[in-house]
Amino acid sequence: MLSHYIKVSFRELLKYRTQSVVSIIGLAIGFTAFILGGYWLWWETHFDNFHPEADRLYCLTTEGLVKRANGTNSDLDQLHVDDRKELFQLLPEIEASCSFNHLSFTLKQKDETISLHGMESDHSFFDLFWADFIAGTYKGKSPDGSNVILTERTARKLFGTTDCVGKEVALDEDLRPVVAGVIRNYPDNTDLLFDFLLIRSPRPNHVKRMTTYVRLQKNASIIQVHTKLARYKSRADKKWKIHLLTAPEVHLRCHPELTDRIRNIHILALAGAMAFLSALINLLVLFIGQQQRKQQKNRTYLCVGASTKSMMLKGCTELVLPLLIAFLIAFCLIESIYPYYESYTTWNRYGIYEDVSRHLSRVSLFGNMISIAGTSILAFLLVCYYPIRSLLEHKIQKPVLFKRSLIVVQIFIGSLFFITSLGLFRQLHFILSKDKGIDYSQVIQVDLGFSTAYQTDLSVLKPEMANHPYVKGVTFTCGNAPVFTEQGDWYGSFYTHFCFDPAEPDPNRSDPVLVADKDFFSFFGLQLQSGSWLTDANAYGFLVNETCLQTLGYADLFERSVYNPENKQASPLKVCGVIHDYMYAPMQYPVLPLFFTTFDNPMVKGFEPAYLFYIRYAPGHKKEVLEHLREVTSHIQNDNINRNKMFTELSDLVDTFNRPEKVIFTIFSILSLVCILISTFGIYSLVSLSTEQRRKEIAIRKVNGATFYHILQLFFREYFLLVTLGNAFALPVGYLLAKRWLETYANHTTLPAWLFLLVFIITSGIVLLSIFQQVKRAAATNPAEVIKTE
């Protein structure tokens, strides 16, 4: 019987092939986006949940040291030693604790250079965190740094095997611990990134902070703990706030660079879910239309002895078959785009772990896909059970109202996608077209490395780099001061404090200073707003950008000297000019108030070495200039710099910054188009059904003198109300969502009123086109034939 129902279902799919294809494709694309976005979101929100008793594992973090792109405070997963002592006395709920610090070493093994990142901690680490020993043990080992635990990956990298207990690891000349054990690699969704664990009592870093995790007692009230922390004043700095974060929260709140990533993940998951829901509704609309066309046939089945159970099985088969086909297509889609998905979702940390990439698990992704596919089929059948039964037994009291409600939901989803996509497009166009205030065309960035700069004066390479017929100019900056940076919350060579008034209103203000070559400003075409450029005559001079001038608030800034904040004595330091702002980071970051000076300034001379060079080449001659630069820098030996990444074109760097917006816009455009098509075919299907059921009414109206346009107007008025109702909900919700998304950018476009009117006009036009053909076909039928057959 089931095989017979499957054959019947296939015939129905072929009979209504256009609607079926659109519905199946919509289901496949929506489910694909939902799975990829949903799994990505799950992965990002379940970091370090694999540790034993993870529900009681927390990290003591500090707020007030790091900021997100939108200016709000982020958390730092470190705790000052003074606060650590006080908090352990304040919180008797703490059952166990562990502190550790990060370490980094570069090892040379034969002709290979190996970078190792690790941590130092005592035995308490193994009391709180997961450690599956393959060989050896930590027990009985003194926490004096003479023993080390390696991960399986590191053991194979250093020794080619995990059977290396007792062997020595030369981390540096003075630190040569013996391997005490080897543990299995941690999953990629962890913030505890280490190649080795040095068994040594952790020592605070240079700012007296360490990462500290605690496990609370089983009966501890987390609300009371948070209340105590809210009242606590940091012993290190009264402005700091101490928080207690779960392990997954550490990942989300202690990495400000993830803010935009998490936002885009939510967009992808929500968009996929809505597209999938729209396709499911369309499938149900198509099914209802088919069943109403087969009312007479279904009555015949029931009259000849078919049970309600068998009819339900037949109906469920017709519903499930398109879903199964769609899931199969979705599986193929995910398999084909997985390499790109893996590349796009890879998380690269900053700092000493910048070269460590974290990847989503392929096995877990497909396992989740299968389980969610099965769950969604079951949930869909449960939700549809009553409508299907009522339809087969002809018990739906108001079928027209039910069908219209489904159409309104589809129009709501389609219009919501439409207006949101237009908002995304406007912001993307704004990002790509807005003048950044700096000329970065045909410019190559050469990164010669931090460590090299402290060993050699690299500024002497400038004339040699410029000695090429296709090189139009060369300049350089120093560390933490690239022309473009992906992390706009920290920009400048160093931070200091400039006091322009002995009665300083903001003595704790930190002023970022960018140290650059004297040709930096002319090389990049920066514009002077007021004052004068830096020259040899004002060696102690500084430039500021417009934002800095506004932030300081001094109209007479050029006349003011910089005072020593301790003795209130004027120094020779002065601001001599203001330059227009330029955008050095992605648009979600605001432009910071910046000070600029050159390497000739005696205040910074010899303080910050140069190692970021910028070379402008003649159009069409990039290849020749790159070969020249490789030759000039061939003698540079820097173990920390990958020579393939030494040379970066600035335009490529800007494109990398814009990549997330481009991807999200592309995905949204596809999903929006799918949802609009689904809504269109849903309306088309219902109009087709409605015209078939109202053929006699149309015939009588024609006999009484109604024209085609009168009949078209009758149908259009009915569906125009549905469009109006769907848009009445979709447009305000779309405005709120798009507005909230745009506000995550410090620099963003606006949403004009005509955009919403355009969406309404286009959706109304789509409905008119959808009903035009069906009404025309019904109106063209001979009324006498219709009345005779009815």
Side-chain angles (χ1 to χ4, degrees):
M1 184 181 294
L2 182 59
S3 61
H4 172 70
Y5 290 159
I6 293 175
K7 291 178 184 177
V8 172
S9 300
F10 264 115
R11 292 195 199 104
E12 292 294 328
L13 290 177
L14 294 175
K15 183 177 180 181
Y16 303 100
R17 63 178 65 88
T18 303
Q19 294 98 320
S20 298
V21 167
V22 171
S23 181
I24 289 172
I25 291 176
L27 284 166
I29 294 177
F31 186 70
T32 299
F34 173 61
I35 287 295
L36 295 181
Y39 177 71
W40 190 8
L41 181 62
W42 178 90
W43 188 79
E44 295 279 6
T45 54
H46 286 76
F47 264 53
D48 288 299
N49 65 336
F50 54 84
H51 297 293
E53 299 181 288
D55 58 324
R56 296 194 287 134
L57 185 64
Y58 297 89
C59 181
L60 287 163
T61 64
T62 306
E63 179 193 314
L65 294 166
V66 186
K67 288 187 179 295
R68 299 184 181 91
N70 58 11
T72 60
N73 286 326
S74 181
D75 281 61
L76 185 69
D77 59 345
Q78 294 180 4
L79 188 68
H80 199 277
V81 290
D82 294 342
D83 289 321
R84 188 178 187 277
K85 297 175 183 177
E86 294 287 339
L87 288 172
F88 278 41
Q89 294 176 1
L90 177 68
L91 303 174
E93 295 90 346
I94 294 176
E95 177 182 271
S97 68
C98 172
S99 293
F100 54 82
N101 260 330
H102 301 279
L103 303 170
S104 184
F105 296 97
T106 300
L107 283 64
K108 289 191 176 181
Q109 192 173 33
K110 297 180 181 179
D111 296 330
E112 183 183 7
T113 299
I114 300 175
S115 295
L116 293 182
H117 307 299
M119 300 187 302
E120 60 174 3
S121 183
D122 55 25
H123 295 171
S124 60
F125 180 89
F126 303 98
D127 296 332
L128 264 66
F129 301 107
W130 177 75
D132 186 4
F133 276 84
I134 300 173
T137 181
Y138 69 93
K139 296 178 181 178
K141 307 301 179 182
S142 177
D144 57 3
S146 60
N147 291 276
V148 66
I149 304 296
L150 301 181
T151 63
E152 181 181 0
R153 186 184 300 110
T154 308
R156 295 189 185 281
K157 183 189 296 185
L158 296 179
F159 303 104
T161 177
T162 57
D163 186 17
C164 55
V165 175
K167 295 183 179 181
E168 185 181 79
V169 180
L171 296 176
D172 61 24
E173 293 182 358
D174 301 321
L175 191 59
R176 310 174 76 89
V178 173
V179 178
V182 179
I183 61 175
R184 297 194 187 280
N185 301 322
Y186 272 19
D188 270 11
N189 61 329
T190 178
D191 272 312
L192 304 179
L193 307 182
F194 61 93
D195 299 313
F196 66 89
L197 180 67
L198 187 65
I199 303 179
R200 184 170 70 182
S201 298
R203 294 167 293 184
N205 56 25
H206 65 285
V207 287
K208 297 183 178 181
R209 291 196 292 263
M210 293 187 294
T211 302
T212 301
Y213 277 80
V214 298
R215 185 172 64 229
L216 300 185
Q217 297 172 356
K218 289 185 178 180
N219 59 350
S221 171
I222 188 64
I223 297 176
Q224 291 182 4
V225 174
H226 283 305
T227 303
K228 292 178 183 179
L229 289 175
R231 294 195 297 260
Y232 176 76
K233 300 295 183 182
S234 173
R235 297 295 179 268
D237 191 318
K238 299 294 184 184
K239 296 186 298 182
W240 296 350
K241 294 181 181 179
I242 309 299
H243 295 151
L244 193 71
L245 302 184
T246 63
E249 287 175 336
V250 170
H251 176 68
L252 299 176
R253 291 182 55 177
C254 294
H255 299 289
E257 71 271 16
L258 290 177
T259 303
D260 302 321
R261 178 182 173 96
I262 299 300
R263 177 200 64 194
N264 290 343
I265 295 171
H266 279 98
I267 291 175
L268 178 60
L270 181 60
M274 292 181 64
F276 185 51
L277 176 62
S278 178
L280 285 175
I281 292 174
N282 182 70
L283 180 63
L284 187 58
V285 167
L286 182 62
F287 175 78
I288 291 172
Q290 293 171 355
Q291 296 305 316
Q292 289 193 335
R293 287 187 178 93
K294 297 188 297 184
Q295 281 185 356
Q296 189 63 41
K297 188 183 293 185
N298 290 336
R299 288 194 189 101
T300 303
Y301 287 148
L302 292 171
C303 289
V304 297
S307 65
T308 302
K309 181 179 178 181
S310 61
M311 292 297 290
M312 284 293 299
L313 180 60
K314 176 177 174 293
C316 290
T317 304
E318 292 183 24
L319 270 178
V320 169
L321 184 61
L323 269 174
L324 291 176
I325 296 173
F327 290 151
L328 182 61
I329 295 173
F331 185 90
C332 296
L333 279 174
I334 293 176
E335 177 66 26
S336 61
I337 66 176
Y338 180 79
Y340 176 78
Y341 173 73
E342 183 182 36
S343 172
Y344 182 70
T345 58
T346 296
W347 178 46
N348 296 299
R349 282 193 60 170
Y350 292 87
I352 65 172
Y353 293 106
E354 192 164 356
D355 59 339
V356 178
S357 298
R358 319 305 287 169
H359 302 271
L360 279 70
S361 169
R362 182 191 186 100
V363 174
S364 181
L365 170 64
F366 284 101
N368 277 273
M369 177 186 174
I370 294 172
S371 62
I372 292 176
T375 303
S376 60
I377 290 176
L378 181 61
F380 183 57
L381 290 178
L382 289 175
V383 170
C384 297
Y385 176 80
Y386 177 75
I388 293 173
R389 185 178 184 119
S390 300
L391 183 66
L392 294 173
E393 295 179 349
H394 314 291
K395 293 181 179 179
I396 294 183
Q397 300 298 321
K398 297 181 179 180
V400 175
L401 180 61
F402 179 68
K403 289 183 293 183
R404 288 176 178 174
S405 299
L406 295 177
I407 289 296
V408 169
V409 174
Q410 283 188 304
I411 293 173
F412 167 81
I413 295 176
S415 297
L416 183 61
F417 266 103
F418 202 178
I419 188 62
T420 310
S421 295
L422 290 176
L424 288 171
F425 173 76
R426 280 181 63 85
Q427 179 62 17
L428 179 62
H429 181 264
F430 177 79
I431 290 172
L432 298 178
S433 61
K434 183 172 177 59
D435 182 17
K436 291 179 170 53
I438 186 170
D439 180 11
Y440 59 91
S441 59
Q442 286 94 44
V443 176
I444 297 172
Q445 174 182 283
V446 182
D447 186 350
L448 297 181
F450 176 82
S451 60
T452 306
Y454 276 90
Q455 298 169 9
T456 310
D457 181 10
L458 298 174
S459 62
V460 298
L461 294 176
K462 179 180 176 181
E464 194 174 350
M465 288 182 175
N467 187 24
H468 191 277
Y470 295 130
V471 172
K472 300 175 66 176
V474 179
T475 190
F476 55 84
T477 62
C478 60
N480 298 322
V483 172
F484 293 119
T485 175
E486 195 171 358
Q487 296 302 298
D489 56 339
W490 173 278
Y491 188 67
S493 308
F494 63 91
Y495 273 64
T496 185
H497 174 69
F498 291 104
C499 176
F500 294 95
D501 189 337
E504 175 63 68
D506 186 10
N508 296 317
R509 188 187 69 245
S510 294
D511 299 315
V513 182
L514 190 148
V515 183
D517 174 42
K518 61 182 179 180
D519 297 328
F520 174 85
F521 309 99
S522 59
F523 179 92
F524 285 107
L526 300 180
Q527 299 296 314
L528 190 69
Q529 184 194 60
S530 58
S532 61
W533 292 108
L534 300 175
T535 63
D536 294 338
N538 49 18
Y540 286 92
F542 286 83
L543 298 174
V544 296
N545 61 358
E546 295 172 275
T547 300
C548 186
L549 180 65
Q550 296 168 5
T551 303
L552 294 173
Y554 296 121
D556 59 342
L557 185 62
F558 297 159
E559 285 75 41
R560 289 176 175 267
S561 296
V562 176
Y563 290 86
N564 187 317
E566 296 180 358
N567 57 25
K568 309 300 181 184
Q569 297 296 315
S571 73
L573 305 180
K574 273 196 172 184
V575 173
C576 58
V578 179
I579 62 175
H580 289 289
D581 288 340
Y582 69 89
M583 295 182 183
Y584 51 82
M587 292 229 173
Q588 55 266 33
Y589 290 96
V591 175
L592 294 175
L594 297 174
F595 286 79
F596 299 83
T597 192
T598 68
F599 286 94
D600 296 330
N601 190 327
M603 173 187 172
V604 300
K605 198 162 189 175
F607 176 63
E608 288 290 336
Y611 68 83
L612 290 170
F613 285 78
Y614 298 92
I615 297 87
R616 191 181 301 277
Y617 60 88
H621 297 284
K622 177 181 176 181
K623 182 178 179 181
E624 296 94 321
V625 172
L626 276 174
E627 290 176 354
H628 168 65
L629 294 176
R630 289 191 177 97
E631 182 180 349
V632 170
T633 60
S634 60
H635 67 284
I636 301 296
Q637 298 296 327
N638 189 342
D639 298 332
N640 296 324
I641 294 294
N642 186 333
R643 293 198 65 84
N644 295 326
K645 297 181 179 180
M646 280 178 60
F647 308 96
T648 307
E649 185 153 15
L650 290 185
S651 57
D652 294 339
L653 201 58
V654 174
D655 288 341
T656 302
F657 296 166
N658 298 332
R659 183 188 179 199
E661 277 68 28
K662 289 180 179 178
V663 172
I664 287 297
F665 172 70
T666 302
I667 294 172
F668 236 94
S669 299
I670 294 173
L671 293 177
S672 181
L673 179 61
V674 168
C675 283
I676 291 170
L677 284 174
I678 288 173
S679 299
T680 300
F681 276 95
I683 294 170
Y684 182 89
S685 177
L686 282 183
V687 170
S688 176
L689 176 63
S690 180
T691 52
E692 286 183 22
Q693 293 176 334
R694 297 170 66 179
R695 290 175 64 204
K696 187 174 182 179
E697 176 191 345
I698 293 172
I700 293 174
R701 287 180 181 275
K702 286 187 65 178
V703 170
N704 288 308
T707 65
F708 164 72
Y709 294 103
H710 289 138
I711 299 171
L712 180 65
Q713 184 181 17
L714 175 70
F715 278 84
F716 182 68
R717 186 188 304 119
E718 176 184 337
Y719 287 95
F720 181 76
L721 291 175
L722 301 181
V723 174
T724 303
L725 186 60
N727 280 286
F729 289 101
L731 296 182
V733 173
Y735 170 76
L736 293 175
L737 291 176
K739 181 174 180 292
R740 184 174 178 182
W741 179 76
L742 289 173
E743 287 173 350
T744 63
Y745 294 84
N747 306 278
H748 60 80
T749 185
T750 57
L751 294 173
W754 63 263
L755 211 62
F756 298 87
L757 181 61
L758 178 65
V759 171
F760 180 75
I761 292 174
I762 291 177
T763 51
S764 300
I766 289 173
V767 171
L768 179 61
L769 292 174
S770 298
I771 66 177
F772 182 83
Q773 184 179 4
Q774 288 297 325
V775 175
K776 183 179 180 181
R777 182 183 301 170
T781 307
N782 188 341
E785 293 294 329
V786 173
I787 295 173
K788 182 170 62 176
T789 55
E790 290 287 339

